[in-house]
Amino acid sequence: MHFRSKGDAVLYLRDPKGTTRGQQREVIDAVRAMTESQPDWVDDPEVQARLAQYEMAFRMQASVPELTDLASEPASVRAMYGVESLDGSFAANCLLARRLAERGVRFIQLYHRDWDHHSRIKGDIAIKAREVDRATAALLRDLDERGMLDDTLVIWGGEFGRTPMARATGATTTSRASRCSSPAADQGGISHGATDELGYMAAEDVVSVHDLHATMLHLLGIDHTKLTLRHLGRDFRLTDVHGNVVKKILA
């Protein structure tokens, strides 16, 4: 579900004109009563799925407006993130992520859109680092103070595959930064792996993307070798036929 930064955070959740929330509840209750009145042998999974969608949509209509009202947060919390309202900034999204997590949302993705810098990387990257670092630190601190880091896996990733090269084009210099990230596991405060002296190649304890995914699934209680999807007559895994859990970073 994509959250928008302007207007309604989630489209089509407002009550239709001339319709009240109570009337919509009556419709859902009537559909449920009609479904439950049928004999057991008329157990149509499509009807049950549609009814479940009605219920979910109704819950979203009731909960999303309150969820996205950051004004209900204490001033100290908003100051810690550096945000006042749901303005589409990375900081606002970090605060929204914590509110989603404490309401039971199981997967949340934050994305900083303005990250690709070339000609002005020296100046721009410092600005972006301040935007990202403050908000990320606030999110981790907030989760920790609420006891939510005990069962929340936080993964912070940069762009994979960028080399530490600079390319001159006339008076313009293009730089591509490289960063290697690994999941935050139960064993905190450690650094895993190292690159060569130029930051060009991984040199120690190399971790592939498949290893990263296998470790993430392991921390979520899933054996990546057994999680398969049947497609075109073949069993596919999320890690294909690769990937090993990076046990060194586990407690």
Side-chain angles (χ1 to χ4, degrees), residues 182-199:
S182 61
D186 291 343
Q187 186 180 180
I190 65 169
S191 178
H192 180 80
T195 65
D196 59 24
E197 61 182 2
L198 298 177

Side-chain angles (χ1 to χ4, degrees), residues 63-103:
S63 62
V64 168
E66 184 274 333
L67 164 71
T68 56
D69 180 17
L70 301 189
S72 62
E73 290 285 339
S76 59
V77 172
R78 285 182 276 125
M80 180 172 66
Y81 284 87
V83 66
E84 283 297 327
S85 62
L86 192 65
D87 57 8
S89 66
F90 185 76
N93 289 341
C94 282
L95 180 50
L96 180 62
R98 191 224 78 210
R99 292 170 65 85
L100 284 165
E102 67 184 349
R103 286 163 174 77

Side-chain angles (χ1 to χ4, degrees), residues 96-191:
L96 180 62
R98 191 224 78 210
R99 292 170 65 85
L100 284 165
E102 67 184 349
R103 286 163 174 77
V105 177
R106 301 189 64 179
F107 177 81
I108 304 159
Q109 180 181 7
L110 306 179
Y111 182 70
H112 195 297
R113 294 173 296 178
D114 187 16
W115 53 265
D116 200 4
H117 305 287
H118 293 271
S119 61
R120 300 184 303 175
I121 189 170
K122 186 175 182 180
D124 287 352
I125 204 67
I127 297 172
K128 297 308 168 188
R130 284 194 298 270
E131 292 177 359
V132 172
D133 289 357
R134 176 180 179 179
T136 302
L139 174 59
L140 292 173
R141 178 182 174 184
D142 206 2
L143 290 172
D144 187 36
E145 290 179 348
R146 295 167 186 269
M148 297 174 64
L149 273 184
D150 296 340
D151 56 6
T152 302
L153 175 63
V154 180
I155 301 169
W156 195 100
E159 183 184 20
F160 285 88
R162 288 285 185 153
T163 59
M165 302 296 186
R167 182 175 69 245
T169 306
T172 302
T173 299
T174 300
S175 177
R176 295 183 174 184
S178 176
R179 182 182 182 95
C180 181
S181 304
S182 61
D186 291 343
Q187 186 180 180
I190 65 169
S191 178

